[in-house]
Amino acid sequence: GAASRMFKNLFEFLEDGKKTDFIEKFLAEKDRFAFGPELAGLDAQEAVSHLLNGMNYGNLPKGLLLFHSYVDGPRTPALEHLVEGAMYAASKGEVNIHFTVSHEHLSLFQSHIAEHQAAYEAKLGVKFHISYSEQKPSTDTLAANPDGTPFRTSDGKLLFRPGGHGALIENLNEQNADIIFIKNIDNVVPDRLKSDTIRYKQLLAGVLVMEQKRIFAALQNPYLPHEERVRLSRPLRVCGVVKNTGEPGGGPFLVREADGSISCQILESSQISDTTLMQQATHFNPVDLVCATRDAAGNPYYLPDFVDEKTGFISHKSKDGKELLALELPGLWNGAMSRWNTIFVEVPISTF
């Protein structure tokens, strides 16, 4: 996704020139950012303008911003994923990494990785296999006016919008792997903090494999009740969750289903009518998942079969200054994985 929301205060400063506390702090400490050297010698307006316009940070995706400083040069989140992959996802010296990106950013990611891949392979002693996919246009949803009628653009055409990260269940369904690690592009830590991340990624994968072995063993029992066989014959995910420190976003909950059963679900605030429940949540979802998407025979599950279609929601957006209603598909780690078997594991906040 684009990083424009991160720079909201800087855009406002370019427009009105007002030095708020945020702007004062940013200018005083701008040299500490990984992109700091690019702003050296510039006054306040010049520095902010160069960052947003000259370096195009107002439009670039978060994965391509300079995030962390190192002696041998700064790294973007995309490059940090290469380093992480070498540390916990290498098999016989090879690492498979898949980026799902928006269409307008695809060539930028491809050129950025291509520029650095050989150097990182030599540095880390691995061979990277990098693949990319885009959110499928077939998952776009029709926008509506506030009164529910179809929204039309200024030239009279119907407006279709991307259906949110829940659309990516289609992309995940196409991945050919025994174990898949999923995380947000910008949820990366510098090398000095990586030891916890690596340890707990390995731990989450270990929990996944142990539980998968138990499930496959249980399915060998010819007397296993049909209901239990159906319940166990599902994709499996282990979700790392951190203690709730007030961060905005979703969290892990125990949900009572319509049939009276209890399931483990990651919910967003938009899915909970009683907002006090979200405030009382003990844990937060940092999007740290390890997934197994094959059955006992090694065949891949068809992941769209396990989506709870009723968990989509409507959000309020705008286009060309006009308010609109946007239909969001069930979120990737929310309703799109609603019918997966799920385990929550507490991980340290240092991994987030």
Side-chain angles (χ1 to χ4, degrees):
S4 54
R5 189 170 55 181
M6 294 172 60
F7 300 110
K8 177 176 178 290
N9 292 281
L10 297 183
F11 276 114
E12 291 174 353
F13 172 67
L14 270 190
E15 288 185 13
D16 58 29
K18 295 180 181 178
K19 289 189 176 181
T20 61
D21 290 344
F22 178 95
I23 295 298
E24 293 282 6
K25 186 174 179 63
F26 171 79
L27 294 172
E29 303 191 28
K30 68 181 188 305
D31 294 342
R32 298 179 61 189
F33 287 100
F35 53 75
E38 298 278 347
L39 309 181
L42 301 179
D43 65 27
Q45 281 280 346
E46 290 172 340
V48 174
S49 178
H50 181 63
L51 180 69
L52 298 181
N53 302 317
M55 298 175 68
N56 201 31
Y57 270 34
N59 297 304
L60 283 178
K62 285 177 282 189
L64 298 181
L65 306 182
L66 296 178
F67 254 43
H68 298 146
S69 297
Y70 297 96
V71 173
D72 60 351
R75 282 184 211 156
T76 62
L79 295 179
E80 291 288 18
H81 279 278
L82 301 191
V83 178
E84 277 197 24
M87 290 180 168
Y88 63 74
S91 177
K92 298 179 181 179
E94 299 191 352
V95 184
N96 298 309
I97 296 182
H98 181 84
F99 295 104
T100 296
V101 301
S102 56
H103 176 72
E104 65 267 30
H105 299 146
L106 177 59
S107 61
L108 293 175
F109 272 97
Q110 290 174 324
S111 60
H112 178 63
I113 295 297
E115 178 184 353
H116 297 278
Q117 182 171 340
Y120 275 72
E121 288 178 337
K123 176 181 178 179
L124 300 168
V126 298
K127 173 66 176 177
F128 288 111
H129 300 284
I130 311 293
S131 59
Y132 302 87
S133 67
E134 302 174 26
Q135 187 168 313
K136 298 179 185 300
S138 60
T139 63
D140 289 355
T141 61
L142 180 64
N145 293 307
D147 63 1
T149 58
F151 183 98
R152 293 184 180 275
T153 58
S154 55
D155 58 1
K157 294 181 179 179
L158 295 172
L159 176 65
F160 287 85
R161 303 182 73 264
H165 55 70
L168 303 184
I169 197 69
E170 300 274 358
N171 303 66
L172 181 61
N173 190 57
E174 295 175 353
Q175 300 309 306
N176 179 27
D178 295 309
I179 295 175
I180 303 171
F181 295 89
I182 299 177
K183 66 185 295 181
N184 283 341
I185 184 70
D186 55 341
N187 182 9
V188 288
V189 296
D191 285 355
R192 62 185 174 83
L193 298 176
K194 276 194 175 66
S195 59
D196 280 353
T197 291
I198 305 311
R199 178 184 181 188
Y200 280 90
K201 276 288 194 296
Q202 294 170 332
L203 184 149
L204 294 176
V207 170
L208 180 89
V209 171
M210 287 193 300
E211 191 64 19
Q212 187 184 53
K213 286 181 177 179
R214 289 181 58 218
I215 290 173
F216 289 173
L219 290 171
Q220 294 293 317
N221 179 1
Y223 304 107
L224 188 70
H226 175 72
E227 295 80 6
E228 189 71 1
R229 188 174 298 278
V230 170
R231 189 181 71 83
L232 294 178
S233 299
R234 302 177 181 186
L236 174 66
R237 61 174 175 165
V238 176
C239 309
V241 297
V242 298
K243 286 187 175 179
N244 186 12
T245 57
E247 292 279 351
F253 286 86
L254 296 174
V255 175
R256 188 179 301 280
E257 303 289 353
D259 62 1
S261 64
I262 301 294
S263 66
C264 295
Q265 302 288 346
I266 295 174
L267 303 180
E268 302 293 336
S269 57
S270 59
Q271 296 177 271
I272 301 178
S273 57
D274 185 352
T275 56
T276 62
L277 291 177
M278 186 66 76
Q279 296 164 3
Q280 297 168 26
T282 60
H283 290 78
F284 172 79
N285 165 42
V287 188
D288 188 2
L289 297 88
V290 188
C291 304
T293 57
R294 291 178 177 171
D295 63 20
N299 300 312
Y301 287 109
Y302 183 64
L303 302 184
D305 284 347
F306 300 89
V307 175
D308 182 354
E309 300 290 354
K310 295 181 179 179
T311 56
F313 58 94
I314 295 174
S315 59
H316 293 265
K317 305 287 185 180
S318 64
K319 171 73 173 177
D320 299 330
K322 294 171 58 180
E323 184 182 352
L324 61 82
L325 301 178
L327 176 61
E328 303 266 353
L329 299 176
L332 180 61
W333 43 86
N334 312 118
M337 294 182 177
S338 180
R339 297 193 172 103
W340 290 38
N341 284 323
T342 299
I343 300 170
F344 294 138
V345 176
E346 183 181 305
V347 297
I349 191 73
S350 57
T351 65
F352 176 43

